[in-house]
Amino acid sequence: IEIKRDAMGSVVLNNLFKHTQMQTTFGVIMLALVNGRPKVMPLREVLGHFIDFRNEVIVRRTQYDLNAAQKRAHILEGYLIALDNIDAVIQTIRESADVHIASAALQSKFGLSPEQAKAILEMRLQRLTGLEREKIENEYRDLLQLIEQLQAILDSKDLQMQEISNELEALRDKYGDERRTTIEYNARGLTMEDMIAEEDMFVSITKQGFIKRTSAASYRAQTRGGRGLSGAGTRDKDFVEHLFQASTHHNLLFFTDHGRVFKLKVYELPEGMRNSKGRSINNVLEKLPDEHVTAYLPVKEFDDETFVVMTTRSGVTKRVAMSNFANIRRTGIRAVNLNDDDRLISVALTNGDADIMIASKGGQLCRFHESELRPMGRTAAGVRGIRLAPRDEVVKMIAVTDAEETIVIASEKGYGKRNIVDDFRKTKRGAKGVRMMQITDKTGDIVSMLKVDENMDLVLITMKGVLIRQHVSEIRVIGRNTQGVRLIKLDKKDTLADITRVEKDEEVDESTDEMVDGETTPSGEQDVDQGSDQDVDSSDQIETDDSESTE
């Protein structure tokens, strides 16, 4: 089958399997008549009856062949008697008045049977030659051997089984070729996932709950400081709140601010163009009207070696094995128990040996090893992850496994920077943390942070739905207690909503303003690298008492 150049061969094949007889799943009931009575049997018993039947066929056929051979040998014996007494036989026949008298005379004179006498009377004169006599003797000798073999088969069960085996091997050698059909136990039927080509998608969710998936090829990279291109179209007073990349075959877990979790396949989400508005998430998830999606996880498998770490707005954190989320109802299940005034903010996947980094809106960051979070049940409330100042709240939590990894921190007025994870020393769980960024009126509060590397691109979304994609390598690694550099020029009354990381795109739009690290930003402002790197908390401020946990 020839397909179009841009078609996915595996998807076409799966559709053929699904809608044609190339692959068929069917049940077999081993019902047969055994000794005249219907009976349902397992395969072994069916094969046993088949062998018994073939054995009966062998016996009856061998008996038939034996009878035919014995009958022919009897006639040949008569021929040999006649040839040994040819002159007397001819004389007897000549002296007889008719055939009946000749037959009776031959039987009485030479001891022949009626069949032998009849065969001699019907024998042609050419059989009297020496050559014909030799043929008769050879045929008689071969028949005696055949009779002996056939009698041996009838007398031996083992020889009968060997005959069955020989016949099956003969059929195999004559008609056998490479098997084209496979018979499998517990055959799995094709699902909708098998009909969908696996490709990378951007999934966007707006503040008012509109969701869509868009091909990752719809976006091109720009340099840092550019104005971006129009991203997701939004309705009045709406903006894109979440943007992330996932494969169409990934499971997508939606965590809501009420502490519940839903599961969908990425291909089940509505597909749209880059500037389309998407569909209301209320038509996709069966959530409550006042419930909002605040976190998400693209997941491939559910096992006990992977953990889900969750952090709430008030800094409460818990760790749960991924296997707890394998079976999620369409209506969702409880992921964490929350206080009435608390909301679930951030979720991350860990491998059991990661550092948890919790960032607050006020610029504080608490880093500790996840072993300080013992695994809990799915409905447990959790323990304190970070101690927050009054009116401060958590904006992001991430999990890192390499101290040399870099993270990007972004503020609501478009400033950001890169830092090495080790720039932020480890504290105990529940500490106030260390300063992660100088917060001023110029930068605004912290919006988000992400772990990145130089082979990635950073995608930024503003409250008005403007999107910009730039290489992470263009963002300078600077000190911990600094304001950072401008990542995006914002229009008046617009602020940064969220950031996400994607695979690096080498095609860069050179039409945008460029900036060299250490020089001025497109607006003429200097990158700010001020302030001391003093930790905000001292050793006596680190909280280690689990008695204040909310578990």
Side-chain angles (χ1 to χ4, degrees):
I1 299 176
E2 295 184 3
I3 59 179
K4 294 181 180 180
R5 181 177 302 176
D6 58 344
M8 298 291 293
S10 60
V11 174
V12 174
L13 184 61
N14 285 336
N15 276 281
L16 288 173
F17 284 152
K18 181 73 174 180
H19 301 294
T20 71
Q21 293 298 307
M22 286 182 64
Q23 177 173 283
T24 302
T25 300
F26 58 91
V28 177
I29 300 177
M30 297 294 188
L31 176 63
L33 291 175
V34 179
N35 298 324
R37 301 182 63 181
K39 184 178 181 181
V40 177
M41 299 168 287
L43 183 59
R44 182 182 180 89
E45 187 175 352
V46 169
L47 290 175
H49 286 295
F50 170 76
I51 293 173
D52 293 340
F53 166 73
R54 290 303 305 167
N55 183 72
E56 182 182 356
V57 170
I58 293 295
V59 170
R60 295 175 63 181
R61 185 186 66 195
T62 303
Q63 186 64 57
Y64 176 84
D65 293 340
L66 177 61
N67 294 337
Q70 290 174 339
K71 183 178 179 181
R72 178 61 178 169
H74 183 64
I75 299 298
L76 292 177
E77 287 176 354
Y79 284 164
L80 292 175
I81 292 173
L83 291 174
D84 290 339
N85 303 277
I86 187 61
D87 293 335
V89 169
I90 293 175
Q91 182 66 31
T92 302
I93 295 173
R94 290 182 65 182
E95 294 176 351
S96 300
D98 55 27
V99 174
H100 298 291
I101 295 174
S103 176
L106 290 174
Q107 294 178 39
S108 62
K109 190 172 182 178
F110 300 102
L112 301 174
S113 66
E115 292 80 10
Q116 289 175 327
K118 181 180 178 181
I120 290 172
L121 291 173
E122 294 175 349
M123 183 174 63
R124 299 172 62 180
L125 293 178
Q126 71 177 22
R127 306 300 298 270
L128 300 179
T129 63
L131 183 60
E132 288 295 322
R133 179 185 178 90
E134 184 180 354
K135 288 183 178 179
I136 292 173
E137 290 175 348
N138 291 337
E139 183 181 358
Y140 181 67
R141 190 182 308 111
D142 293 340
L143 279 175
L144 292 179
Q145 294 178 357
L146 177 60
I147 291 171
E148 183 180 357
Q149 293 174 1
L150 295 176
Q151 190 63 52
I153 292 175
L154 291 176
D155 295 338
S156 174
K157 186 72 173 180
D158 292 339
L159 290 179
Q160 295 169 13
M161 294 297 104
Q162 184 62 44
E163 190 68 16
I164 295 175
S165 177
N166 293 339
E167 291 181 359
L168 293 175
E169 289 177 355
L171 288 174
R172 179 197 63 191
D173 297 338
K174 183 176 181 179
Y175 300 106
D177 55 10
E178 185 177 355
R179 178 178 290 277
R180 303 178 189 178
T181 303
T182 58
I183 300 175
E184 300 177 355
Y185 292 99
N186 301 322
R188 179 185 66 89
L190 290 172
T191 63
M192 182 60 68
E193 182 174 340
D194 300 315
M195 308 296 148
I196 305 298
E198 185 168 3
E199 59 178 323
D200 289 334
M201 289 283 176
F202 278 119
V203 178
S204 61
I205 306 173
T206 70
K207 184 68 174 179
Q208 292 185 2
F210 290 90
I211 187 171
K212 69 171 182 177
R213 60 183 173 99
T214 307
S215 174
S218 301
Y219 299 98
R220 69 177 187 274
Q222 297 182 2
T223 55
R224 177 174 61 81
R227 294 193 62 85
L229 52 84
S230 179
T234 55
R235 288 165 168 76
D236 294 340
K237 298 181 181 181
D238 195 11
F239 62 90
V240 175
E241 189 174 29
H242 298 295
L243 178 71
F244 59 92
Q245 189 178 24
S247 165
T248 50
H249 286 191
H250 280 176
N251 294 291
L252 197 58
L253 300 185
F254 292 88
F255 292 83
T256 69
D257 55 353
H258 287 199
R260 294 204 301 158
V261 59
F262 299 82
K263 182 173 71 172
L264 286 177
K265 289 286 189 179
V266 171
Y267 65 75
E268 295 180 292
L269 300 177
E271 186 173 9
M273 301 300 292
R274 190 186 68 236
N275 56 356
S276 63
K277 300 181 183 302
R279 184 186 303 173
S280 174
I281 204 168
N282 295 324
N283 297 329
V284 179
L285 301 179
E286 299 181 17
K287 63 182 187 64
L288 300 175
D290 61 340
E291 199 171 8
H292 302 286
V293 175
T294 57
Y296 51 83
L297 282 181
V299 178
K300 196 69 174 179
E301 295 180 353
F302 298 88
D303 51 43
D304 291 326
E305 287 72 33
T306 307
F307 297 90
V308 178
V309 177
M310 293 170 276
T311 300
T312 70
R313 183 170 60 191
S314 64
V316 176
T317 306
K318 65 176 288 190
R319 184 166 67 126
V320 183
M322 175 58 75
S323 58
N324 287 284
F325 300 101
N327 300 313
I328 299 179
R329 297 185 298 270
R330 191 75 182 180
T331 55
I333 59 174
R334 174 67 58 185
V336 58
N337 278 327
L338 300 173
N339 294 329
D340 293 339
D341 58 345
D342 202 2
R343 292 292 180 265
L344 181 61
I345 294 296
S346 198
V347 180
L349 287 178
T350 68
N351 59 4
D353 189 29
D355 285 347
I356 306 302
M357 302 178 71
I358 304 175
S360 75
K361 182 175 66 174
Q364 301 301 116
L365 185 144
C366 182
R367 174 189 171 195
F368 57 88
H369 195 270
E370 69 170 295
S371 59
E372 298 188 41
L373 293 170
R374 61 178 179 82
M376 302 179 183
R378 181 171 52 82
T379 57
V383 295
R384 175 177 293 170
I386 183 174
R387 182 179 294 275
L388 299 171
R391 294 181 298 278
D392 197 4
E393 63 185 44
V394 172
V395 294
K396 190 71 174 183
M397 178 272 299
I398 61 174
V400 296
T401 56
D402 185 359
E404 298 302 319
E405 285 186 278
T406 59
I407 62 173
V408 167
I409 303 167
S411 66
E412 62 181 357
K413 292 189 177 180
Y415 281 83
K417 61 173 183 169
R418 270 201 301 157
N419 283 104
I420 299 174
V421 170
D422 251 1
D423 288 344
F424 308 94
R425 66 175 178 84
K426 288 185 180 181
T427 63
K428 295 292 185 179
R429 174 184 60 79
K432 291 183 178 180
V434 298
R435 181 173 297 167
M436 63 186 299
M437 185 173 180
Q438 281 278 7
I439 302 302
T440 64
D441 293 338
K442 183 178 181 179
T443 63
D445 292 331
I446 300 297
V447 170
S448 185
M449 70 173 177
L450 291 174
K451 59 178 180 178
V452 295
D453 62 50
E454 295 194 352
N455 295 319
M456 295 180 178
D457 283 352
L458 191 68
V459 177
L460 302 94
I461 288 287
T462 72
M463 292 286 191
K464 292 184 178 180
V466 176
L467 179 147
I468 184 171
R469 177 172 179 168
Q470 58 189 249
H471 298 326
V472 169
S473 57
E474 296 178 351
I475 304 173
R476 188 174 59 173
V477 178
I478 56 180
R480 172 174 60 81
N481 190 17
T482 58
Q483 291 185 18
V485 297
R486 187 188 297 275
L487 301 180
I488 182 174
K489 291 191 299 183
L490 298 172
D491 294 335
K492 292 182 179 179
K493 298 183 180 179
D494 195 8
T495 57
L496 189 63
D498 201 2
I499 59 175
T500 188
R501 61 184 185 182
V502 296
E503 295 297 325
K504 189 171 185 178
D505 187 352
E506 298 298 336
E507 296 181 4
V508 180
D509 185 354
E510 300 294 345
S511 63
T512 57
D513 294 327
E514 295 190 30
M515 169 186 166
V516 179
D517 287 336
E519 298 180 1
T520 60
T521 64
S523 61
E525 298 168 325
Q526 292 288 337
D527 292 345
V528 182
D529 191 355
Q530 303 175 1
S532 63
D533 287 349
Q534 297 298 319
D535 296 341
V536 172
D537 64 328
S538 58
S539 58
D540 60 341
Q541 292 175 312
I542 298 176
E543 295 292 335
T544 60
D545 185 6
D546 285 344
S547 62
E548 295 188 22
S549 72
T550 59
E551 184 178 1

